[in-house]
Amino acid sequence: MALDYRKCAQEIVDHIGGRDNVAQAAHCATRLRLVIKDNSKVDKEYLDNVEGVKGMFESNGQLQLIIGTGTVNKVYDEFLSITGMTAATKDDVKAAAAAKQPLWKQLLKPIGDVFVPILPAIVASGLMMGLVEALGKIPGLNFAETDWYAFLDMVANTAFAYLPVIVAISAARVFGGNIFLGAVIGLLMIHSALTNGWNAAAGYDVWYLFGHIRITESYSLFQINQLGYQGHVIPVIIAVLLMSNVEKWFHKHVPEMLDLFITPLCTVLITALITFTIIGPIFSGLETMVLNGAQVLVKNPLGAMVMGAIYPVTVVMGLHHMYNVIEAGMLSSVGLNTWMPIASAANFAQFGACLAVGLKSQSNKTKVIAVPSALSAALGITEPAIFGVNLRFYKPFVAGMVGGAIGSIFGAITGIGATAYGVTGIPGYLTINNAGVYTVLLLVSGGVAFAGTWSFWKEEVKKPVNKPVDEAAETGKFEQKPVITCEAGTILAPINGNVIPQDKIPDGTFASGVLGAGVGIEPEGEIVYAPFDGEVSSVAESKHAIGLSGPGDMEVLIHVGVDTVAMNGEGFEPLVEDGDKVKAGQPILKFSKAAIKAADHPDVVVVLLTNSDDYKQVSV
């Protein structure tokens, strides 16, 4: 009997809370993808039994109903007809799911997504830079005059000297652009033909692409300042965001036979033109405003408080290197750099906040990032602490701003200063004119930020249920080998055992591929391990299945046994919860083969790439 598509769609609408409870709706080859406004209005039990719905799960903020190839198109058309909605793409649905988050999280998430993968590079460079600078400042050691200093300084500052390239590659991955085109944009922004951005105060030349078409007294239309973006973050991210969207537009509109030639060429040219004529000048204007304002504010305690608070914001924007102009001006005019205590207070406050996260967090992953990042910030290099920890968790960043503000007031009142510039934090002792007062300043700023973070920040990572992961990993650890590959990445075997083809899985739904491409594994052990670095998107109420989100938006379902949902969790022990971050090889589920056998179910472990239709090449 043929499926009544209209009836199926109507039942879905009626039991997801109606049209008003749906933000977006799209479909792929097998699934109806819905973004629900209020999940409490969804009758999941009823939906699971709707004729035509072969399965249901939640992933990345989406309710996904598995309907099947061909059939889903007809059900979707009826769904649109009933609700009066317009067709959306999978990207629209993903965007709608992300839009359900608070605004501040929506704004900060891309920055966090860009910087988390590159943390090892900036943490290592930050620590080495701080140590090398400190050694170079020790009187009598003369380390700064040695070849070792020159070599180590080069090694230490490489990640920061070419930071725009690293950021651009990571940003392209986050925004869905070609990472190699992203690298080109990053390289372009620090090209050797441009004046190094850290030397902007010495002046730079200008290109006029279409002559002097004046917009203001100092700016002409399509004027390009021959100035690099060394040390900058925000303009690089904006440029790559633009590049990714331009690239997607060309891929969509250019015929496939011309796409390889036209899309990269036009994408890079358009992005370069807009970056250097619009994004760059706007950012340069913002720099000038910040610097002029800083020179005025730093002269009084109230102004120092403001600058101490916003200093880490300027680090995020990549403006902080320009403060060297203020410091150099102070040294040349009055012989004392009173800006340095403000910068030190702000930096040491970020150290205090980051250290509090490292000590308070129960997540080992957070600890191993936060503690080294805090040490780097104590030495005056705050990017690892800000981007890798404090800004991601938001409250530590704000606590650091408060600590920096209070410490800066103290610095302005006491009038301490430095005899050099470019050194803050602990190495600042080598240049400060009053070590005792400087010690109090660091303790105040770092202490306030530490206390604020400790009091108001609560870790969002959920604790593993039942036994800790380490206790669960009793025996059976094995060398994980790939079982599914696609252009987004590799899915490793979650358990040791004999791998069987999908069509040999003793379940018609799994074997047919309607839920996605995959394999079965006849398990030798009783512990399921994460198949990649990713996030737990769902743990079945009956504990027998876990959904995971991985690199390149891969969505994987690990289902232990066939028809084991009927066991109602008996014999299953999840070791993770929804939202947990996992690493490849981490135990995520423990089960009893004896219990499954006693319930008369096959114990085959099913591994499915549920969104395999999103990829052109999937190998199992």
Side-chain angles (χ1 to χ4, degrees), residues 41 76 326 329 383 487 489 581:
K41 296 180 180 179
Y76 180 65
I326 299 175
E383 283 88 346
E487 56 263 41
K581 304 289 185 180

Side-chain angles (χ1 to χ4, degrees), residues 553-577:
D553 290 330
M554 288 191 294
E555 297 170 7
V556 169
L557 175 66
I558 300 177
H559 191 288
V560 179
V562 173
D563 293 330
T564 43
V565 64
M567 295 175 65
N568 294 317
E570 185 68 29
F572 297 94
E573 183 182 348
L575 304 172
V576 291
E577 292 186 344

Side-chain angles (χ1 to χ4, degrees), residues 92-130:
D92 292 333
V93 169
K94 289 180 181 179
K100 294 173 65 178
Q101 295 182 320
L103 179 60
W104 65 269
K105 282 191 174 182
Q106 294 179 46
L107 296 175
L108 293 181
K109 187 178 185 301
I111 296 178
D113 290 344
V114 168
F115 274 89
V116 168
I118 66 175
L119 276 177
I122 62 176
V123 168
S125 289
L127 285 172
M128 185 174 284
M129 283 179 66

Side-chain angles (χ1 to χ4, degrees), residues 509-524:
T509 302
F510 291 142
S512 68
V514 68
L515 301 183
V519 297
I521 301 176
E522 297 171 339
E524 293 180 1

Side-chain angles (χ1 to χ4, degrees), residues 28 35 107 111 142 160 165 266 294 403 461 501 543 546-547 568 616:
C28 54
V35 178
L107 296 175
I111 296 178
N142 295 323
F160 288 100
V165 181
C266 294
V461 177
K543 304 178 183 178
I546 291 180
N568 294 317
K616 294 180 180 179

Side-chain angles (χ1 to χ4, degrees), residues 3 6-18 21-22 32-36 38-58 62-67 75 79:
L3 175 67
R6 184 78 177 185
K7 180 175 181 290
C8 178
Q10 186 66 62
E11 287 190 81
I12 292 173
V13 173
D14 292 343
H15 293 87
I16 58 174
N21 198 36
V22 184
L32 183 63
R33 297 171 177 243
L34 308 174
V35 178
I36 304 298
D38 184 355
N39 288 326
S40 66
K41 296 180 180 179
V42 177
D43 187 343
K44 295 181 181 178
E45 184 175 351
Y46 189 96
L47 287 175
D48 214 21
N49 291 289
V50 170
E51 184 180 0
V53 176
K54 300 177 181 179
M56 173 183 63
F57 60 93
E58 291 181 89
Q62 303 173 31
L63 176 65
Q64 300 192 17
L65 303 178
I66 302 164
I67 296 174
V75 173
F79 184 93

